């Protein structure tokens, strides 16, 4: 079974600074996808960014980018120019590839605080 | 235009009662899911349905019974509620294929007293 580990239960960053959230995963599959979701206090689950395992290029979405190291099974999220609205729980998630209907497997989350 | 909607948003009930949570999606997805988020924020899959058929049941007590009347709806019925059932329950949906992200509802906070 696949597992996802987020080793930082809490992180904090100064507004306008950069922060990196760590995520590692364990799988024997070669075809899979990785995601970061954000959960603000409103409880919504918001997709931040996704990465295809077969792509070497790291995904970016505006201020959010990932460092995907396939051999190391590492998938960290970098948030640049942090804003107060970035304060939230961040979840790393894994999904098996193929055409099936596999669920997301989540890490335990990292709570990010942004300091004004 | 809410993509995945759950009702109710909050549910407070006593031990032993039976309750239901409804979920509907208007995204045209074939697959729907129920996740449980515990007090430590851990999200765990409970059930997955594809085109009204159960495809994943993750060792959830049989007091929990999902029902999918059509592929746009997946309801969760819970019998004989226990204190440990208190959690936030999320409905989600997706297209098939690993590259498709899950779209989540806003969750239902269930409190059992």
């Amino acid at each position: 079974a696949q597992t996802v580990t987020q080793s930082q239960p809490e992180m904090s960053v100064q507004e306008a600074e950069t922060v990196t959230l760590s995520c590692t995963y364990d799988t024997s599959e070669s075809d899979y996808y990785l995601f970061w979701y954000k959960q603000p206090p409103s409880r919504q689950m918001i997709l931040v960014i996704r990465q295809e395992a077969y792509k070497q290029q790291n995904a970016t979405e505006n201020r959010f980018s990932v460092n995907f190291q396939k051999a190391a099974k590492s998938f960290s999220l970098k948030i640049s120019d942090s804003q107060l609205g970035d304060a939230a729980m961040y979840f790393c998630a894994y999904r098996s590839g193929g055409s099936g209907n596999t669920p997301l497997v989540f890490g335990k989350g990292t709570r990010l605080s942004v300091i004004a | 235009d809410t993509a995945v909607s759950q009702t109710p948003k909050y549910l407070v009930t006593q031990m032993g009662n039976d309750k239901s949570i409804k979920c509907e999606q208007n995204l045209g997805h074939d697959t729907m899911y129920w996740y449980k988020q515990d007090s430590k924020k851990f999200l765990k899959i409970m059930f997955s349905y594809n085109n009204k058929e159960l495809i994943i049941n993750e060792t959830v007590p049989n007091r929990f019974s999902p029902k999918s009347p059509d592929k746009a709806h997946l309801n969760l019925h819970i019998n004989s509620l226990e204190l440990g059932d208190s959690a936030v329950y999320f409905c989600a949906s997706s297209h098939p294929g690993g590259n498709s992200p899950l779209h989540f509802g806003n969750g239902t906070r269930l409190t059992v007293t």
Side-chain angles (χ1 to χ4, degrees), chain A residues 13-20 38 61-65 77-87 90 112-115:
Chain A
V13 62
Q14 293 278 352
E15 204 176 359
E17 296 295 309
T18 295
V19 65
T20 298
K38 168 185 177 182
E61 287 286 344
N62 301 314
R63 297 182 295 108
F64 297 88
S65 61
L77 175 69
K78 185 170 88 170
I79 306 174
S80 304
D81 185 26
S82 296
Q83 299 175 359
L84 293 176
D86 295 333
Y90 285 82
L112 177 67
S113 302
V114 180
I115 304 161

Side-chain angles (χ1 to χ4, degrees), chain B residues 13-74:
Chain B
T13 188
Q14 291 185 327
M15 279 196 313
N17 284 348
D18 303 339
K19 289 292 178 186
S20 292
I21 306 171
K22 294 186 176 182
C23 179
E24 175 182 4
Q25 55 95 5
N26 62 6
L27 297 167
H29 291 159
D30 288 336
T31 308
M32 296 185 72
Y33 311 81
W34 278 108
Y35 278 83
K36 178 180 180 180
Q37 186 173 43
D38 62 23
S39 58
K40 295 185 178 177
K41 302 292 187 184
F42 183 54
L43 280 150
K44 186 170 166 53
I45 183 70
M46 298 174 69
F47 300 104
S48 172
Y49 269 72
N50 185 58
N51 265 326
K52 303 192 296 178
E53 289 190 20
L54 178 68
I55 53 174
I56 291 175
N57 179 345
E58 286 288 324
T59 60
V60 177
N62 58 15
R63 297 182 296 104
F64 290 78
S65 51
K67 284 187 172 51
S68 183
D70 56 61
K71 74 173 194 177
H73 295 83
L74 180 61

Side-chain angles (χ1 to χ4, degrees), chain A residues 67-82:
Chain A
N67 184 2
F68 174 48
Q69 301 289 328
K70 191 171 183 178
K73 295 181 182 172
S74 170
F75 181 60
S76 59
L77 175 69
K78 185 170 88 170
I79 306 174
S80 304
D81 185 26
S82 296

Side-chain angles (χ1 to χ4, degrees), chain A residues 6-115:
Chain A
Q6 293 178 250
S7 58
Q8 306 151 316
E10 294 184 356
M11 292 281 285
S12 62
V13 62
Q14 293 278 352
E15 204 176 359
E17 296 295 309
T18 295
V19 65
T20 298
L21 308 184
S22 301
C23 173
T24 58
Y25 58 94
D26 190 24
T27 184
S28 58
E29 298 174 335
S30 58
D31 182 19
Y32 55 88
Y33 298 82
L34 299 163
F35 303 83
W36 279 96
Y37 278 82
K38 168 185 177 182
Q39 187 180 38
S42 66
R43 212 166 67 198
Q44 275 183 289
M45 291 290 290
I46 302 165
L47 176 67
V48 174
I49 199 165
R50 86 178 99 170
Q51 175 78 43
E52 295 87 346
Y54 61 83
K55 284 190 179 176
Q56 289 191 331
Q57 187 174 8
N58 290 323
T60 62
E61 287 286 344
N62 301 314
R63 297 182 295 108
F64 297 88
S65 61
V66 298
N67 184 2
F68 174 48
Q69 301 289 328
K70 191 171 183 178
K73 295 181 182 172
S74 170
F75 181 60
S76 59
L77 175 69
K78 185 170 88 170
I79 306 174
S80 304
D81 185 26
S82 296
Q83 299 175 359
L84 293 176
D86 295 333
M89 284 289 292
Y90 285 82
F91 293 96
C92 180
Y94 173 104
R95 192 175 191 203
S96 295
S99 57
N101 299 295
T102 55
L104 285 173
V105 176
F106 285 94
K108 292 191 174 182
T110 296
R111 184 180 300 279
L112 177 67
S113 302
V114 180
I115 304 161

